[in-house]
Amino acid sequence: MTEKVKTIGVLTSGGDAPGMNAAIRAVVRAAISSGLKVKGIRRGYAGLLEEDIVDMNTMSVTDIVQRGGTILFTSRCEEMRTPEGQKKAADICRKHGIDGVVVIGGDGSFRGAQKLSANGINTIGVPGTIDLDIACTEYTIGFDTACNTAMEAIDKVRDTSASHERCSIIEVMGRTAGHIALWCGISNGSEYVMIPERYDNDEQKIIEKILSKRRIGKKHHIIVNAEGIGDSHGLAKRIEEATGIETRATVIGHIQRGGNPTCRDRVYASAMGALAVDLLIEGKTNRVVAYRDGGFCDFDIDEALAMTKDIDEHMYSMTRRLSR
Ligand code: ADP
Ligand code: F6P
């Protein structure tokens, strides 16, 4: 029989995401309310390997539910990819009396969690990434805030684009996934949304769309481009040359990763953090928390990492339909 977990470690890893603090707070408070001790592992796996570990209590997480970023800091760590690094990380957990770990991060971070689990430390992943690119879950911490930030930024670009009767290409984040672009494409009423999952490299189609909109009286044009396609400045130049319409590119960048989390990100991150603690209390390991079909659930990490995710086809075809 597995020993009952007594001390939980919590870390954030990979790109930060608004709502990670709400998840940390939930882990700390849920664990303490269940009689467990909590240690904060700072700077992700890099901090774990350097034993940058601090005791946490209920006051360690006061006044953070509304803050973007992560109070535990985050990092990317090459050493954790090696078998030696993974064994060392598990040994350090044991040395500090940590018998359960909650890893808040993306797919890459879950691979680290998988290895910690294989090395004997009960580990649960919580999906934290603005990219929404984790296959097993319909929600990831930070996506909602990032979309709202990008949407507001695009609204602002639209004001100036309309005043100057220009075409604007706005590039949003998402790594190789087009979810943020798709949601902004709809919420900003863009004329064209370019996502890596569906892009056919046919710029002529975009040019013809712009020209046909001009012909029916449209005076400005909003094209949302995903960073997975990129080259927004080059595209702007080519569109301007081909159409004769002044065109500008805006790459929104890291402001999408910051800012106070939305209500949804605070609430879902809290629920996921608390569920991760419950799973550890039940003696589970190598699991990842997810949101699917209207409820919170969990998956085996190996299964979760083997799943693939596509863009929501219904939403994609709707964007095209509504931008006619
Ligand atoms: P994300 O978690 O947002 O996907 P990364 O892909 O950068 O971000 O991964 C975060 C960290 O997770 C990496 O820097 C590394 O320490 C760890 N990690 C990634 N892949 C693996 C792997 N295959 N094995 C062990 N650890 C990994
Ligand atoms: O995964 C989150 C994310 O912001 C991606 O959208 C983007 O591709 C990447 O991280 C940027 O990483 P960095 O902050 O290291 O430039």
Side-chain angles (χ1 to χ4, degrees), residues 14-16 76 128-131 133 172-176 180 227 253-254 256-257:
D16 65 342
R76 296 192 168 100
T129 167
I130 64 165
D131 302 333
D133 60 349
V172 298
M173 275 188 168
R175 208 184 288 239
T176 56
I180 299 177
E227 77 163 319
H254 284 81
Q256 290 161 101
R257 286 241 296 266

Side-chain angles (χ1 to χ4, degrees), residues 13-15 45 76-77 80-81 86 106-109 111-112 115:
S13 166
Y45 294 121
R76 296 192 168 100
C77 167
M80 189 61 192
R81 293 175 189 270
Q86 293 153 11
D107 267 351
S109 304
R111 290 183 200 283
K115 301 301 180 324

Side-chain angles (χ1 to χ4, degrees), residues 2-9 36-37 39 90 92-102 120-124 280 283-285:
T2 29
E3 291 238 340
K4 280 217 160 119
V5 63
K6 293 189 192 73
T7 304
I8 287 181
L36 309 180
K37 289 193 179 138
K39 299 199 180 200
I92 289 170
C93 287
R94 279 184 280 271
K95 177 179 165 191
H96 287 261
I98 296 172
D99 40 21
V101 174
V102 177
I121 303 295
N122 285 5
T123 308
I124 307 291
L280 285 173
K284 292 195 175 158
T285 185

